[in-house]
Every structure is written in structure tokens, then in C-alpha cells.
Amino acid sequence: MATLDTPAAEPRGRREAHKAATRKALQEAAHRMFEERGYARTTVRDIAAAAGVTERTFFRYFPSKEDLVLDEVLDLIPVVRAKVVARPAHEDPYAAVLGAAVEVAAGGGVGLMFSGPPQHFPGQQARQFLPVLSKFEAGLADALLERLAARDPENATPLRAAVLSRAAVGALRSALFAYTALPEEERTPGAAHELLVEAFGHLRQS
């Protein structure tokens, strides 16, 4: 019986589909296990076993557990951008980002956002995380600039969109850190939602 570990002596299109399926299986397994056990207590071996592959296969797709997190953040950029652009036109920038974040979280697409990733990536991972964070902020800034141009074209500048984007990402990260500080039994979708709303409420009051 074929498994996700089966070598692909098959046409290129089928091999690419197999690789994509394996990658997705690893990401979905990681998401499930981070929710069940938390990030710190989940090992690469756990993720590989849950996805039905070997540790060796895991490392063909991701150099480390942290890289899997970063990869999922990159995958989220176009998703969040599209949802921010699609939010109702009357919403202000922060309301649009909050609404998009809640939508993505409710659909399970946030993956690792509220399942216990580390607050800080040490050493080499920190240097990897900063470019990914910058790309996320840039994608969000593009979405906000598009919304500003439609709503308030005279004040729709790249700098304004960038400032709003970085402030919104700060609120998202603060909600994440507050969530990971909760006792494990209190980490629920409802708690994540409440922290998002509270974080953006503080942003508006500042």
C-alpha cells in the first residue's frame, strides 16, 4: 500500500502532487499536535508520526520545527491580505484587520497562531523570523493601502498604511503572547477571540 513516504518513480505532475500532499499533511499534523500538546511539548518525531511519514521525510520539507511555523506564516500572508481587502468598506483599518484575523482563526487557517508557538525564536531562528514578520507586515500594508485608496484617497499613503500595519501586527502578536501565557486548559477558541478583541480595543484607545 502506498504511503506519503513512498518514493515517487512516477510522472513529474504526480510527484509534485505527492510532495504538496506530504507538506500539507505535515502542517496539518503540526497544527493538531500544537493544539493538543502545545508547541514546546511537540517534537519533530511526533509531527512526522502523526502525518504518517518518517523524521527523515519531515526534514526533507522543513529544516526544523521552527521553520514549519515560519512557512505557515508565509502561507497566511495572501490569505490575510485577501480577507482584509474583502472586509466591509465602512470598517476602519483596525476593524478590518481584526475581522480578517477572527475569520482566519475561526476557519482554522491560522494554524500556529493560537496553538502555542514560542514567544521568541532564539539564535538563528530569530534571524529567520524577522524577514518573515516583515513580509507579513508588508502584505498587510498593501491590503490597507488598497482600502485607504478606496475610502480616503487623499490620505492613502504608503507610510500611513505601513504604520497602521505594524500597529495591527503588534496587537495580533500581543494577543498571541497573552494567549500562550494562559493555563493550558484555558486556551480555547473563545479565549483567542476575546484576546484579539481586547488587544485591538487597546490599540484604538491609545
Side-chain angles (χ1 to χ4, degrees):
M1 176 184 247
T3 69
L4 290 174
D5 266 330
T6 302
E10 50 192 346
R12 180 179 177 83
R14 194 175 301 172
R15 286 200 304 271
E16 292 304 314
H18 175 84
K19 288 168 63 177
T22 302
R23 188 181 193 86
K24 183 178 180 182
L26 286 166
Q27 289 175 319
E28 291 178 346
H31 185 194
R32 289 195 307 272
M33 302 207 74
F34 292 155
E35 287 184 333
E36 293 169 4
R37 303 184 183 185
Y39 178 90
R41 288 185 296 183
T42 300
T43 66
V44 167
R45 179 177 295 179
D46 294 332
I47 296 168
V53 302
T54 64
E55 285 183 78
R56 184 176 179 180
T57 296
F58 177 98
F59 289 118
R60 285 209 300 267
Y61 290 85
F62 304 102
S64 68
K65 184 172 66 170
E66 289 81 5
D67 285 280
L68 186 151
V69 176
L70 298 176
D71 190 78
E72 186 162 345
V73 173
L74 287 172
D75 287 346
L76 274 179
I77 293 173
V79 176
V80 173
R81 186 192 186 287
K83 287 189 177 298
V84 169
V85 171
R87 294 295 301 172
H90 69 271
E91 291 185 345
D92 63 59
Y94 293 145
V97 176
L98 172 59
V102 169
E103 276 189 68
V104 175
V110 174
L112 310 176
M113 186 175 179
F114 286 102
S115 53
Q119 294 194 19
H120 304 287
F121 287 92
Q124 179 64 30
Q125 278 73 38
R127 292 191 289 276
Q128 291 173 259
F129 178 65
L130 291 175
V132 173
L133 179 61
S134 294
K135 289 179 181 179
F136 191 90
E137 291 172 341
L140 185 55
D142 287 343
L144 292 175
L145 183 60
E146 185 172 335
R147 290 184 63 86
L148 290 170
R151 183 176 180 178
D152 185 14
E154 291 185 5
N155 294 305
T157 67
L159 178 58
R160 184 183 178 195
V163 169
L164 291 169
S165 171
R166 289 188 173 91
V169 170
L172 288 171
R173 295 184 69 206
S174 296
L176 166 60
F177 296 160
Y179 181 86
T180 57
L182 292 174
E184 190 169 340
E185 65 274 11
E186 295 180 20
R187 296 177 194 169
T188 65
H193 181 273
E194 288 177 8
L195 286 168
L196 278 171
V197 171
E198 182 180 352
F200 277 84
H202 291 315
L203 195 58
R204 286 199 178 88
Q205 293 167 8
S206 61

